[in-house]
Amino acid sequence: NAGVTQTPKFRILKIGQSMTLQCTQDMNHNYMYWYRQDPGMGLKLIYYSVGAGITDKGEVPNGYNVSRSTTEDFPLRLELAAPSQTSVYFCASRQGARGAQHFGDGTRLSIL
Amino acid sequence: LAKTTQPISMDSYEGQEVNITCSHNNIATNDYITWYQQFPSQGPRFIIQGYKTKVTNEVASLFIPADRKSSTLSLPRVSLSDTAVYYCLVAGVNYGGSQGNLIFGKGTKLSVKP
């Protein structure tokens, strides 16, 4: 099992560009999450999904969009990149609303 | 929303037992307590979870007093490889499975020395 896979690992964007961060999991988990982590800080929840076709906002959703068309995939979309979105983005999944979240290795995004 | 407070950093030596305490004074009835470990350039990794009293697994113990306003992660006989940031997460499940209260604090940076 690969677990949670995030692509790309690194990316540099210019202000105003758009991109999609990919996340896929092979554990058949129904819950999936997107977090961002700024230097020296904890993780902040951006969006989450409790199953295919269902998404909801977390603590910091502004500037992002998500979709969940399949159980496996949960892409995060940045439409108009801003310097404030420079961060490390982590995707996670778990089976059910409690228990261990399984995290990917992150996408390091810089917006210049 | 239950907020958590942890020490910013702790130092220890190999072979010692390390106890990291997390304060969560406004924990709700349906909140549970989860600890994660994070190494540089990696995603967090689950350590242990509990609701009350004591929970033990192969790598750690979690102590939760009766009032549940704090919890202590205990790492027995730490090694250099335990150097990492440790996060305490207090969160519950709202009706319908809402996850909006998943808030990680700044964590505790543990440094284990030889």
Side-chain angles (χ1 to χ4, degrees), chain A residues 31 33 35 37 41-43 45 48 50 90 94 97-101 103-105 108, chain B residues 30 32 36 38 41-44 46 49 87 89 93 97-100 102 104-106:
Chain A
Y31 283 70
Y33 308 85
Y35 294 90
Q37 184 174 35
M41 304 295 287
L43 284 74
L45 183 63
Y48 66 95
V50 301
F90 289 102
R94 66 177 167 185
R98 298 186 179 186
Q101 293 183 57
F103 285 83
D105 286 334
R108 285 146 189 82
Chain B
N30 66 341
Y32 52 99
Y36 288 86
Q38 187 178 28
S41 302
Q42 294 185 22
F46 173 85
Q49 183 183 79
Y87 293 98
L89 175 64
V93 179
S98 174
Q99 302 282 278
L102 284 172
F104 283 77
K106 295 183 180 180

Side-chain angles (χ1 to χ4, degrees), chain B residues 61-75:
Chain B
S61 294
L62 178 60
F63 299 92
I64 305 168
D67 66 6
R68 303 201 326 123
K69 293 184 182 297
S70 67
S71 58
T72 299
L73 173 72
S74 180
L75 303 172

Side-chain angles (χ1 to χ4, degrees), chain B residues 12 14-15 19 22-23 31 35 39-40 44 65 67 79-80 83 91 93 109:
Chain B
S12 182
E14 282 191 293
N19 295 309
C22 179
S23 297
D31 284 344
W35 285 81
F39 297 112
D67 66 6
S79 64
L80 296 177
T83 294
V93 179
K109 185 175 183 179

Side-chain angles (χ1 to χ4, degrees), chain B residues 13-16 76-83 110-113:
Chain B
Y13 291 93
E14 282 191 293
Q16 289 187 331
R77 299 179 300 280
V78 294
S79 64
L80 296 177
S81 63
D82 293 315
T83 294
L110 173 65
S111 297
V112 180
K113 303 175 182 179

Side-chain angles (χ1 to χ4, degrees), chain A residues 19-70:
Chain A
M19 78 163 293
T20 299
L21 282 66
Q22 302 291 343
C23 175
T24 187
Q25 53 95 6
D26 62 0
M27 298 171 282
N28 201 33
H29 288 169
N30 52 348
Y31 283 70
M32 295 190 73
Y33 308 85
W34 273 107
Y35 294 90
R36 61 175 287 173
Q37 184 174 35
D38 298 329
M41 304 295 287
L43 284 74
K44 293 185 177 181
L45 183 63
I46 305 172
Y47 270 96
Y48 66 95
S49 169
V50 301
I54 306 171
T55 62
D56 206 347
K57 297 177 180 178
E59 183 184 2
V60 290
N62 292 342
Y64 307 94
N65 282 299
V66 294
S67 60
R68 184 93 181 272
S69 57
T70 67

